[in-house]
Amino acid sequence: MLDLARFATELWIARWAVAQGLGMTILISTLAIVLGSLLGIGIGLVLVYGGWIARFIVRLYVDFVRGTPVFVLVLASFYLLSGIGIQLTAFQAGLFALTIFCSTHVGENLRGSLLSLPRGQMEAGKAIGLTFPQVFAYILAPQALRQALPAWVNTATEMVKASTLLSIIGVVELLLVTREIISRNFLSLEFYFFAGLLYFLIDYAIERAGKFVERRVALPT
Amino acid sequence: MGYTLNFGAVWRDFDLLLSGLALGLGLAIVSILIGCVIGLAAAFATISNRVWLRRIAGAYVTAIRNTPILVLILFTYFALPQLGVRIGKIESFILTLAVYAGAYLTEVFRGALLALPGGLREAGLAIGLTERQTKIWIIIPVMWRNALPALSNNFISLFKDTSLAAAIAVPELTFYARQINVNTFRVVETWLIASLLYVAACYIIAFGLRQVERRLAIPR
Amino acid sequence: MAQPVLKIENLHKKFKEVEVLKGVDLSLQTGDVVSIIGSSGSGKTTLLRCVNLLEEFHEGRILIEDDEVGYLSGPPRRRRKEAEIARQRAMTGMVFQQFNLFPHMSALRNVTLGLTKVKKLPLDEAVAIAEKWLARVGLSDRRDHYPGQLSGGQQQRVAIARAVAMNPKVMLFDEVTSALDPELVNEVLNVVKGLADDGMTMLLVTHEMKFAFEVSDRVVFMNQGRIEEEGPPEELFRAPKSQRLAEFLKNAKF
């Protein structure tokens, strides 16, 4: 039933493929997190400080994306963009979908953090004569970013998990590699478990890194 | 660009999409019900006095929350037969989703339990109820109300996760959308409508749940 | 007669449809210490916040040494540009009820921020000024502490240093001891009194009647958006002319 010896041998045979899949997973996740966060910061800023038209449009965008399952976003990206003439590889389409998904989470987090800051902070900044960009840069942003950090770490782990969906559109990341291996040696239990374990370790590493950063930037009390 | 919108092709199969949506909803409901049972039990386990219970519940939650749901779905569907368990697609998906939901609900219920005033349990014991009766008649009903908002959020997330059933060919909304897309090549229309269906469903569910929350809220 | 440092002329402010300031006139010479007293809703805090344009006003003028604050009366009346308003705000210093220190900066940095970013002073000069004022409020040894590590009274003293280090023409104090535990109130009041003795022009909104009596050159009693009585503390407190003021003082147990 559970043949560990055979699993070990098969894993050794497939080690290069697994490493490549793992590398691709990390690459996609990292790109999606970085691009998504950059876009997300813009979204958050518009939602808090934008004029009502901009806020309305961005709000529509955010609500639409968040109401749609990630899986549908990935599939839609993949089929849609080639359908209307934009030629994208599966990798690019998948990355596009994940970036959009990530941006809405980051945007909402940032909005929440900025709005949770006491009004007095803005007033105190104004009272000493700082202009709005200065108040934002020196006073609001540092506090909001500190506050948004835990949620951002959570979003990062969500992106790693979402990267598995790209296997369905043929991106050769860890899950797809796992399925290919299983199709050859039928060790479903062992290899799915192994893949799960790898994802768990990646997420765990991200969480630990996040906690470390949180401790480092925490204000002394 | 040379792409003209033609919703007719999708409209013809709209009933398929709706049936898929209904199935997705059904899957979500069943899964969350089972998930609630698991989550409630695990939540009590995390605050129990017995260390081993706390450890097991904690491990369950950490393991599931850090594993991609697609891996869990495939694991359940393909790996269980290897252990001799024969199980259909839909059952396997519900099982996976319930276990997945259970891990998140554990945290929800745990939070709600910890937010309860400490004296509640003691008040129950003081009027002569057993531990078990106190749990059933006093703690759970109050905790339930606290947990409703987070529960609603989790349900909506779960409903969106039912789209992954398409990965093992369960005929829910995404599965049909993909089929229609491949058959008709009407990419924009298909995915736009599929998206809108999900978004609309989420809004309606969210609205409905908010009404429920309001009705069930303890008057203050 | 010398030109007043702060002149408020016929100030009107509406909040939605309700007028909360109904034509206020007030004038401060250099070195004047004026306390504004009155019940909640009288408009005293709103008046103070108009001076540094944290609140908008739709009619009237506020002048700081002949410079029109916030709006140019024209005609037509138009709002100044944001950069100008920021510059004008630097001419006043405000101390808030809730302190509003920047929690992510040390006490020293809280004070030097305005000096470096608004007055554009070089860092060593800013630090020297900041250290002087922190010493003045009795917190030299806390310069590297963060607000989270300071008591309420200490935080408020840093807030005072932060405002006064900018060398403002007028200092604005908005009920600065109301949020403090009773035993911490005196350390702050002593600092404020010290500043008054040094000749700082100050406008205070306060509930501390005894303090207002001791430190003010003039006291202003506001009621329902208007100044009802104004005069030296002895007159106002000992011989109130208006009945409402008499009642207010009775309730305030002065």
Side-chain angles (χ1 to χ4, degrees), chain A residues 77-190:
Chain A
S77 276
F78 182 61
Y79 291 116
L80 206 104
L81 294 174
S82 55
I84 57 173
I86 304 178
Q87 282 298 65
L88 285 183
T89 64
F91 177 85
Q92 291 165 327
L95 183 59
F96 179 75
L98 290 181
T99 302
I100 301 261
F101 177 65
C102 182
S103 73
T104 57
H105 278 257
V106 172
E108 282 284 343
N109 281 342
L110 186 60
R111 174 180 175 269
S113 303
L114 281 170
L115 291 180
S116 76
L117 296 177
R119 266 188 77 207
Q121 289 296 300
M122 168 80 94
E123 293 189 346
K126 282 192 194 171
I128 56 177
L130 294 171
T131 60
F132 175 73
Q134 287 177 315
V135 175
F136 182 77
Y138 299 120
I139 297 169
L140 300 179
Q143 296 184 61
L145 288 176
R146 265 192 190 81
Q147 197 143 333
L149 192 58
W152 186 83
V153 171
N154 191 47
T155 304
T157 59
E158 288 293 318
M159 297 315 295
V160 170
K161 292 195 282 181
S163 71
T164 54
L165 299 175
L166 269 52
S167 64
I168 308 280
I169 57 174
V171 175
V172 185
E173 44 72 68
L174 183 57
L175 186 58
L176 187 59
V177 166
T178 307
R179 298 185 83 174
E180 282 175 354
I181 295 175
I182 291 174
S183 70
R184 276 185 287 108
N185 58 35
F186 299 103
L187 291 174
S188 307
L189 190 75
E190 293 86 342

Side-chain angles (χ1 to χ4, degrees), chain B:
Chain B
M1 191 159 98
Y3 187 90
T4 45
L5 286 179
N6 172 15
F7 282 93
V10 184
W11 204 245
R12 264 196 302 273
D13 288 319
F14 196 66
D15 55 336
L16 274 182
L17 291 177
L18 281 182
S19 77
L21 182 64
L23 179 62
L25 209 52
L27 291 171
I29 293 176
V30 176
S31 305
I32 202 153
L33 288 176
I34 305 176
C36 273
V37 175
I38 301 176
L40 203 54
F44 277 114
T46 61
I47 59 174
S48 125
N49 292 322
R50 301 180 206 161
V51 181
W52 62 271
L53 259 183
R54 287 204 304 265
R55 292 248 175 89
I56 292 185
Y60 161 63
V61 171
T62 315
I64 299 288
R65 283 171 61 135
N66 282 312
T67 311
I69 187 172
L70 187 54
V71 173
L72 292 172
I73 292 172
L74 295 173
F75 177 82
T76 315
Y77 186 57
F78 289 113
L80 284 191
Q82 205 173 314
L83 292 171
V85 181
R86 299 233 160 256
I87 182 171
K89 282 189 210 157
I90 291 192
E91 290 84 349
S92 130
F93 184 76
I94 291 179
L95 177 62
T96 314
L97 210 60
V99 169
Y100 185 73
Y104 284 87
L105 290 176
T106 307
E107 287 299 295
V108 170
F109 290 139
R110 182 187 146 83
L113 278 173
L114 291 176
L116 291 177
L120 209 58
R121 174 180 159 271
E122 297 184 349
L125 294 175
I127 59 176
L129 298 174
T130 65
E131 286 279 8
R132 200 149 170 276
Q133 287 173 316
T134 315
K135 253 188 215 153
I136 298 176
W137 296 107
I138 299 179
I139 297 200
I140 293 182
V142 179
M143 176 219 75
W144 195 248
R145 306 290 195 315
N146 286 347
L148 266 181
L151 201 66
S152 305
N153 281 337
N154 270 278
F155 179 68
I156 293 177
S157 279
L158 210 67
F159 169 63
K160 288 191 284 173
D161 288 333
T162 60
S163 61
L164 287 167
I168 53 173
V170 168
E172 66 80 57
L173 174 52
T174 308
F175 176 77
Y176 282 129
R178 214 171 164 197
Q179 218 173 43
I180 294 174
N181 177 62
V182 167
N183 287 342
T184 69
F185 291 102
R186 296 277 115 211
V187 275
V188 177
E189 299 88 325
T190 317
W191 291 111
L192 195 61
I193 291 184
S195 255
L196 286 172
L197 279 173
Y198 274 112
V199 174
C202 285
Y203 258 112
I204 295 174
I205 296 173
F207 180 74
L209 287 174
R210 261 202 300 275
Q211 301 306 316
V212 172
E213 265 172 61
R214 221 172 279 175
R215 294 287 164 77
L216 290 184
I218 300 173
R220 17 175 97 242

